[in-house]
Amino acid sequence: MSDVKTVDLLITNIGKCLTLAGPKRARIGKEMREIGEIEEAAIAVANGKIVAVGREEDVLQQIKGANPARTIDANGRLVTPGLVDPHTHLVHGGSREHELALKIEGVPYLEILAQGGGILSTVRATRKASEEELYAQAYASLNRMLLHGTTTVEAKSGYGLSLEAERKQLRVAHRLDQEHPIDLVHTFMGAHAVPDEYKSNPDRYVDLIIEEMIPVIASEGLAEFCDIFCERGVFTVEQSRRILLAARQHGLKLKIHADEIEALGGSELAGELRCTSAEHLMATGDTGIESLKNGGVIAVLLPATSFNLATGRYAPARKMIEEGVAVALSTDYNPGSSPTESMQIVMTCASLYLRMRPEEVLTAVTINAAYAIDRGEQVGSLEVGKKADIVLWNSKNLEYIPYHFGVNHVDTVIKSGKVVVEHGILTTSCPKA
Ligand code: NIG
Ligand code: FE
């Protein structure tokens, strides 16, 4: 008697299946190297979920008599969970290629912002854009993400900076979640910058966020997380604490952009508030690392941002891993500090500049990234009962992906059991899985 009666999709002849099976929590220290490798493997899927995974002979035994509706021969390929991108500024208007020349001339990122450019120029473009325009631009980005192997994405607001414009961004993200195969997790980031109208009195903007924006966003169910840019010249630690505590009172989970450029105390605050995650952490020192560890905060590192800011400054990932902080990786996809949708380039930057081993990198872009957005029970590993979010790579081994950089190594992507990318091409209809 077989255990599994129905199989919609069977993947056979997998050379190496990296399952990331393990404890039901983010992985720390040496656990980040345990990636659950199975050779000569197969995976069976039914109703969008994994129903069997293991050595091919065992899987075939388990599904005996089930008569799979479709079988894919992986041809000895490497197979991993779909990648999870836990930090993006997905929905925005316009682009900022004009900043490239300024950067080359040496104008710092925060200086461009202080002059009313940077984030604030994207705020102007986003306020002007219609919902349809924002939708079309973000949909194209999601397609690029899917083609590069990403199947779950966190999306922040933060280019509206008024209640109406923030709601517009979040509404677009909700529609994308309904209509694009990628699953989205929604974050309110009204505290991404101080808008021009409040430049002379930033505390009034903080009051507006606390008294008007958070209550409405939370009551309308538009966001699950609240994030804030805690940085010199943007929001202070004290303002960050007030906003995050208010968000928590309204039922939102917490994230913080901390120590991106200067270590103001953002990672210490993340630990104190036991935020789900703290992001960037390029300038984080020993007390910050200690605080993240004690607070059980996941460090979401964004090495493509360091690469693109070109300051030569990278987060102290080795120290974090050695101290027992769970590390995740993300694109930080946005039009300024990180205009890329590819988690594969992030994997290369993490290998070369964060000095993370390939196994640690894979853990950081799958299961730890899933826990950083509170989806660790649903995605991030190939285990029975989890969503069938699966990538078949044009490679036999993991190292090849970060090593051979700047090109796309994805062959096939399966999202919630549906084949959405086949031989590197989006399947025509791409229905919501
Ligand atoms: O995560 N640091 C703040 N926010 C984004 C950048 C946004 C932008 O430059 O438009 C970040 O790097
Ligand atoms: Fe960011």
Side-chain angles (χ1 to χ4, degrees):
M1 269 295 282
S2 65
D3 315 333
V4 178
K5 305 272 178 269
T6 312
V7 173
D8 303 324
L9 177 67
L10 175 66
I11 308 165
T12 59
N13 201 10
I14 299 171
K16 255 187 209 176
C17 183
L18 307 178
T19 64
L20 281 294
K24 287 191 193 314
R25 54 169 174 74
R27 313 294 155 75
I28 56 169
K30 293 221 160 51
E31 291 171 355
M32 287 188 68
R33 298 184 191 180
E34 292 160 18
I35 54 175
E37 178 174 326
I38 305 171
E39 294 197 342
E40 292 167 28
I43 303 174
V45 173
N47 300 315
K49 299 227 165 111
I50 295 170
V51 290
V53 51
R55 301 265 308 164
E56 184 162 321
E57 61 208 49
D58 299 337
V59 170
L60 294 181
Q61 185 61 34
Q62 279 180 61
I63 67 164
K64 215 165 163 187
N67 197 16
R70 179 172 178 187
T71 300
I72 293 178
D73 180 345
N75 246 314
R77 286 192 167 83
L78 174 78
V79 168
T80 70
L83 307 182
V84 177
D85 193 343
H87 176 144
T88 82
H89 303 258
L90 173 72
V91 179
H92 58 259
S95 60
R96 306 224 295 270
E97 57 274 34
H98 60 276
E99 286 178 13
L100 183 59
L102 294 173
K103 188 161 61 181
I104 292 165
E105 282 159 22
V107 185
Y109 178 79
L110 287 179
E111 181 57 38
I112 297 174
L113 176 62
Q115 289 172 8
I119 296 174
L120 292 173
S121 74
T122 300
V123 168
R124 288 189 288 275
T126 306
R127 285 179 175 179
K128 245 194 257 151
S130 67
E131 290 199 26
E132 278 316 310
E133 286 163 342
L134 293 176
Y135 178 90
Q137 187 168 336
Y139 196 99
S141 280
L142 287 173
N143 279 349
R144 282 191 281 274
M145 290 176 176
L146 200 58
L147 283 164
H148 286 82
T150 301
T151 47
T152 304
V153 169
E154 183 257 16
K156 303 175 196 297
S157 66
Y159 290 118
L161 310 187
S162 70
L163 177 58
E164 270 326 298
E166 289 289 306
R167 285 171 81 218
K168 176 171 77 171
Q169 268 188 284
L170 289 165
R171 272 198 307 269
V172 169
H174 277 266
R175 203 179 131 206
L176 289 162
D177 181 41
Q178 295 298 310
E179 296 172 5
H180 191 278
I182 288 183
D183 284 318
L184 293 181
V185 172
H186 307 283
T187 297
F188 166 64
M189 198 173 177
H192 192 197
V194 177
D196 280 338
E197 331 56 290
Y198 289 91
K199 214 171 163 187
S200 57
N201 195 351
D203 275 322
R204 275 199 42 220
Y205 183 58
V206 173
D207 293 341
L208 181 81
I209 292 173
I210 292 174
E211 287 157 21
E212 288 182 33
M213 292 189 178
I214 289 174
V216 172
I217 303 285
S219 74
E220 291 182 346
L222 282 172
E224 176 176 339
F225 285 93
C226 178
D227 198 346
I228 179 163
F229 189 14
C230 179
E231 185 63 61
R232 183 170 310 282
V234 192
F235 294 97
T236 64
V237 172
E238 202 31 58
Q239 290 169 331
S240 303
R241 184 185 282 108
R242 282 183 59 207
I243 290 176
L244 292 175
L245 285 173
R248 177 170 276 163
Q249 274 197 338
H250 285 272
L252 300 179
K253 291 174 264 187
L254 309 185
K255 293 180 169 289
I256 179 167
H257 280 56
D259 309 339
E260 176 174 355
I261 299 171
E262 281 189 44
L264 289 192
S267 45
E268 287 80 354
L269 179 65
E272 172 196 320
L273 299 182
R274 304 185 77 83
C275 292
T276 304
S277 66
E279 337 275 306
H280 285 289
L281 309 170
M282 274 132 79
T284 304
D286 291 352
T287 58
I289 293 178
E290 185 67 18
S291 175
L292 295 174
K293 183 188 163 183
N294 293 339
V297 182
I298 299 179
V300 177
L301 306 184
L302 313 165
T305 306
S306 298
F307 172 74
N308 183 63
L309 290 177
T311 55
R313 202 148 191 214
Y314 285 84
R318 282 262 54 93
K319 181 119 208 244
M320 289 174 179
I321 293 171
E322 273 146 31
E323 294 294 326
V325 176
V327 169
L329 290 163
S330 171
T331 57
D332 189 22
Y333 171 62
N334 73 72
S337 67
S338 189
T340 181
E341 290 95 342
S342 170
M343 287 291 274
Q344 293 173 57
I345 195 77
V346 172
M347 293 169 78
T348 296
C349 291
S351 306
L352 298 179
Y353 304 117
L354 301 185
R355 311 193 83 79
M356 289 171 66
R357 295 163 59 111
E359 300 81 8
E360 293 169 337
V361 168
L362 185 66
T363 299
V365 296
T366 55
I367 192 70
N368 279 10
Y371 277 105
I373 50 174
D374 202 12
R375 290 293 183 279
E377 305 270 314
Q378 292 87 39
V379 297
S381 65
L382 301 174
E383 295 179 89
V384 170
K386 280 205 163 175
K387 275 196 185 179
D389 292 359
I390 304 167
V391 180
L392 280 63
W393 299 90
N394 283 319
S395 169
K396 301 243 185 260
N397 60 64
L398 174 62
E399 293 78 358
Y400 191 76
I401 298 164
Y403 149 82
H404 184 163
F405 64 91
V407 292
N408 187 3
H409 297 290
V410 165
D411 179 78
T412 298
V413 180
I414 292 152
K415 173 63 195 170
S416 295
K418 294 211 166 78
V419 178
V420 286
V421 175
E422 208 168 9
H423 307 312
I425 295 169
L426 288 169
T427 57
T428 45
S429 56
C430 245
K432 179 72 187 173

